[in-house]
Amino acid sequence: MHKVIYDTDPGVDDAMALLFLHRHPEIDVIGITTVFGNASVETTTRNALFLKREWDIQAPVAKGASVTIDAARAEREWPAMVHGDNGLGNIEVPHTIDLPLDPRPAHRFIIDTVRANPGEVRLVAVGRMTNLAMALKEDPEIAGLVKDVVIMGGNFYVPGNVSPVAEANIHGDPEAADIVMTAPWKVVVIGLDVTSITTMRRSYLGAMAAKGDAAVKLLDGLSQHYIDFYSHAVDDGMMVHDSCAAVYLVAPELFTTITGAVRVVCGGIADGQTVIKPDGRRFPPGDWDGLPSQIVATGIESEKVIDLIRDTLLRA
């Protein structure tokens, strides 16, 4: 069993990935930590509790960061045009959910859980990397105790989605992302190079909902606004960004990867750009030297990934 802490900012594609993690027989979700991004951290935490309740997920939820690790960064408007005003596609969600939160802040929950399960925990982070960076700053030794970190974020050989060079999760807190990429732990970066070509059509999701239970029907309902948003880029469907990172946990053979040190640009017109120095390439001395070699996905078997998502979500 893969012991997983899911660091998330639900978020429509976050919700699909959560249901995948919850239903895959080889995955044990031992914690859900929330972060600001697709909405405020108050809203993403409420959404995580709502999905926990609706989908009968036993994992505790811990509320995380509400601002970037560099507090001087100005916050941008929440991407309501993508995920809806409430982060879940504008479906009806109660203002409050009568479930308790873990009393610890998310970064402390991560530290304590990793220390209680040395060498076993896989961190799956599909929002801004702020909670992970805060955990590293408070307790750097956890880098040697985590099994690996699988993130949805970044772009290397394709354009960004919030600027010509930057992807949203990284662009939302570049300093935190650079801390995470350069720490001495194993990071797998599942970015736009693979997620932007992995799409699920509205009819495909609808067929899943028709066959599936109430959980899949809820997922179908909260995805409609998101699918509408993607009409500029996808033919009546959506990119399943975060689910790609979840799939990597159990089916890494569906991905083509390269390795190398990764840095994140912090500031200027390339703010949030992710840049890899591929292993084996020689350059003059620079800011990538002496850093850990990370794994970056550059190819994906998209149809097999989509089918694995379907088959897993239909496991009731």
Side-chain angles (χ1 to χ4, degrees), residues 4 22 24 45 48-49 56 66 69 88 106 109 120 151 173 178 180 186 189 205 217 242 256 259 275 281 290-291 296:
V4 170
H22 174 53
H24 197 283
T45 303
L49 289 172
D56 193 26
S66 61
I69 201 160
L88 289 180
F109 177 89
E120 296 184 65
I151 73 169
D173 195 342
D178 193 57
V180 170
K186 176 183 175 184
V189 187
L205 179 58
K217 289 176 171 59
D242 295 346
T256 303
T259 59
V275 186
R281 290 289 304 274
L291 296 176
V296 170

Side-chain angles (χ1 to χ4, degrees), residues 10-123:
V12 174
D13 55 327
D14 307 70
M16 179 180 288
L18 175 59
L19 189 56
F20 177 92
L21 294 169
H22 174 53
R23 291 205 159 167
H24 197 283
E26 298 172 17
I27 294 173
D28 179 16
V29 180
I30 60 174
I32 300 168
T33 52
T34 63
V35 68
F36 73 114
N38 289 327
S40 70
V41 74
E42 288 76 21
T43 298
T44 62
T45 303
R46 184 276 314 268
N47 291 349
L49 289 172
F50 172 72
L51 296 172
K52 169 184 166 75
R53 186 189 75 181
E54 295 301 302
W55 293 343
D56 193 26
I57 297 172
Q58 299 304 306
V61 175
K63 181 181 177 182
S66 61
V67 295
T68 55
I69 201 160
D70 177 0
R73 277 190 173 265
E75 183 51 69
R76 301 169 179 86
E77 292 185 3
W78 310 121
M81 69 287 192
V82 184
H83 295 272
D85 293 322
N86 67 358
L88 289 180
N90 292 332
I91 66 165
E92 188 171 334
V93 180
H95 289 296
T96 58
I97 306 298
D98 188 21
L99 289 177
L101 282 170
D102 190 277
R104 294 163 288 185
H107 73 280
R108 189 71 237 179
F109 177 89
I110 291 170
I111 292 168
D112 293 346
T113 306
V114 167
R115 285 197 166 276
N117 301 272
E120 296 184 65
V121 175
R122 308 187 75 177
L123 300 177

Side-chain angles (χ1 to χ4, degrees), residues 108 111 115 134-143 145:
R108 189 71 237 179
I111 292 168
R115 285 197 166 276
M134 292 174 64
L136 283 168
K137 292 192 79 171
E138 183 169 315
D139 188 354
E141 292 182 0
I142 66 166
L145 301 175

Side-chain angles (χ1 to χ4, degrees), residues 45 89 95 108 164 187 190 201 213 225 280 290 298:
T45 303
H95 289 296
R108 189 71 237 179
V187 179
I190 307 295
R201 293 180 63 85
D213 62 0
H225 177 93
T298 56

